Every structure is written in C-alpha cells, then in structure tokens.
Amino acid sequence: GDSVTQMEGPVTLSEEAFLTINCTYTATGYPSLFWYVQYPGEGLQLLLKATKADDKGSNKGFEATYRKETTSFHLEKGSVQVSDSAVYFCALRLDYKLSFGAGTTVTVRA
Amino acid sequence: NAGVMQNPRHLVRRRGQEARLRCSPMKGHSHVYWYRQLPEEGLKFMVYLQKENIIDESGMPKERFSAEFPKEGPSILRIQQVVRGDSAAYFCASTSMDPGTGAVVSGNTIYFGEGSWLTVV
C-alpha cells in the first residue's frame, strides 16, 4: 500500500544550523506530497506542498522538492530558529486519502 | 473564513462512559476526515465522510467507534464505553472538491482542526 517513511528523531540543533528531514514514499500512482508541522499542544498546519514531479514547495524558509526518481520529498531549512521547534510530518495524498509518516521531533536550542 | 472547528478541545471521561467529538469543516468543504494520534505516534486515518455518507471507514476500530456527518450540523465521532487505550488526540480535517466536476483533487490541501484531546481515567 501507499506509505511514507521519514527520518526518525528526535533531532536537536543549535540556532542558525541547517536542517534536513528525509522523507521517502511508496505509492501506486502519482501522489501529491505535503509537509505538515505540529507545535506543542496544537493541531497540524500545512507547511508546504508539491503536486507533481520536480515541483518545489516553499514556505517560511523551508523547502522541499518532489523527486520522482528517488521517490523523495526531503525538507530543508538553511538557518533554523528556536521557534521552529516542533514535530514535522511528511504526508502523501492519492485521491482522497492522506497518509502520514511517523513524524520527526525537532528541537532548536538558542 | 473560519478554519476547521473542533470541540471540545479537551475531554476527560471515566472508563465506560461515552465520548462525543464534534467537527465543523471549513466553509465550502463537504468532506470530512477523522484521524487519531496516539501519544508519541503519528496520525492514523480513521474515517472519511461526506454529508450523510461514509465513504471509507477502513481505519475505524470495529467496535465502540462510529462517525457521522449529517445533512445539517457538525460531524460527530462517537466512542462508546471508552477505555484507557482510547486516550489520544483526535483530529478532524476537511477538503474541497473540484467545483466543476465534484471530483476529488489530490493536490487540494486538507486542512486540520486543532484537535480534541481525550483522556480516559
């Protein structure tokens, strides 16, 4: 079935460090890909998305490129801030169903 | 434009009681999802509904759990005779269809509510 595998955490970084969270997927068709972020005690917010191969999603300094050849959608940010501390979820959507990875907890220290 | 609204945000129930979680989708959205997030885990799909119709309930536990989305009013996730293992965050989400064809569009964003945290004591 369709599934998402993302890098296990937790990840701890210093402010202004470079962040990468790996995400790969398995799908029978051509999914749309998403990154959601969950801050402590809150719901999920859409961070960025890409709907077809080679699309790049970007928002708030985060970027991810839909790579069909490697079935990946890695999340990157060049310089993290303390406020980026959260759980990040990679997800794929085929038709109506949205399937999530396990989530990666990121902690940024001042 | 209000987002997906869930209530209550926090609910405490004793074992054996019933829990009812409500969700109002975003304006213009006629399809609703329910997901469950167990402590320290990711989100698991439970059910997908449109008004007056359950489209996919493959993620719902076979017993004690039910969901509805009536013609009028919010979607309801109902858990009967709760047990401690039901303690989790329950998220509702909604999405839109293509206005011309009424078809699902994979690229359309699914918007989530802030969740209902159920604690069973």
Side-chain angles (χ1 to χ4, degrees), chain A residues 16-109:
Chain A
E16 298 183 3
F18 183 84
L19 170 68
T20 299
I21 304 175
N22 290 341
C23 171
T24 57
Y25 67 90
T26 302
T28 51
Y30 299 98
S32 294
L33 301 174
F34 303 81
W35 278 99
Y36 283 84
V37 59
Q38 184 179 31
Y39 299 102
E42 298 185 12
L44 275 76
Q45 301 175 25
L46 176 68
L47 183 58
L48 53 84
K49 72 177 186 180
T51 58
K52 61 182 187 297
D54 300 325
D55 270 2
K56 178 188 282 188
S58 60
N59 186 27
K60 299 181 181 179
F62 290 90
E63 291 184 342
T65 301
Y66 190 141
R67 300 283 187 204
K68 187 181 172 193
E69 63 276 13
T70 54
T71 61
S72 65
F73 193 54
H74 304 320
L75 183 68
E76 297 182 338
K77 185 173 184 180
S79 177
V80 293
Q81 306 299 314
V82 172
S83 58
D84 293 324
S85 298
V87 182
Y88 293 82
F89 292 95
C90 186
L92 72 82
R93 181 176 177 182
L94 267 172
D95 195 14
Y96 61 82
K97 207 162 194 176
L98 187 66
S99 300
F100 286 90
T104 303
T105 300
V106 173
T107 302
V108 180
R109 293 186 174 159

Side-chain angles (χ1 to χ4, degrees), chain B residues 6 21-23 33-35 45-47 49 75 77 91-92:
Chain B
Q6 290 188 247
L21 309 177
R22 289 175 290 278
C23 169
Y33 303 77
W34 285 95
Y35 281 79
F45 169 81
M46 298 182 76
V47 62
L49 312 100
S75 175
L77 179 67
F91 290 96
C92 175

Side-chain angles (χ1 to χ4, degrees), chain B residues 1-38:
Chain B
N1 189 11
V4 179
M5 305 299 292
Q6 290 188 247
N7 68 82
R9 289 292 311 279
H10 298 277
L11 182 64
V12 179
R13 283 288 178 265
R14 287 197 166 87
R15 281 177 294 170
Q17 291 184 318
E18 178 179 287
R20 280 184 178 239
L21 309 177
R22 289 175 290 278
C23 169
S24 296
M26 282 183 73
K27 187 177 180 181
H29 289 186
S30 58
H31 290 65
V32 161
Y33 303 77
W34 285 95
Y35 281 79
R36 177 166 64 174
Q37 184 179 33
L38 293 168

Side-chain angles (χ1 to χ4, degrees), chain B:
Chain B
N1 189 11
V4 179
M5 305 299 292
Q6 290 188 247
N7 68 82
R9 289 292 311 279
H10 298 277
L11 182 64
V12 179
R13 283 288 178 265
R14 287 197 166 87
R15 281 177 294 170
Q17 291 184 318
E18 178 179 287
R20 280 184 178 239
L21 309 177
R22 289 175 290 278
C23 169
S24 296
M26 282 183 73
K27 187 177 180 181
H29 289 186
S30 58
H31 290 65
V32 161
Y33 303 77
W34 285 95
Y35 281 79
R36 177 166 64 174
Q37 184 179 33
L38 293 168
E40 308 301 323
E41 293 188 17
L43 281 86
K44 302 298 183 186
F45 169 81
M46 298 182 76
V47 62
Y48 175 57
L49 312 100
Q50 66 179 135
K51 282 193 182 287
E52 299 184 286
N53 187 28
I54 297 174
I55 299 173
D56 182 347
E57 57 180 348
S58 58
M60 290 279 272
K62 298 294 182 215
E63 296 176 349
R64 303 187 297 108
F65 284 72
S66 62
E68 63 175 7
F69 189 15
K71 187 176 179 181
E72 302 290 339
S75 175
I76 305 287
L77 179 67
R78 182 183 179 203
I79 312 171
Q80 296 178 287
Q81 300 175 322
V82 296
V83 301
R84 288 222 171 104
D86 297 333
S87 296
Y90 292 83
F91 290 96
C92 175
S94 70
T95 192
S96 59
M97 301 294 112
D98 181 274
T101 64
V104 169
V105 180
S106 290
N108 284 2
T109 299
I110 297 175
Y111 293 91
F112 283 80
E114 293 194 333
S116 291
W117 268 259
L118 172 65
T119 302
V120 179
V121 297

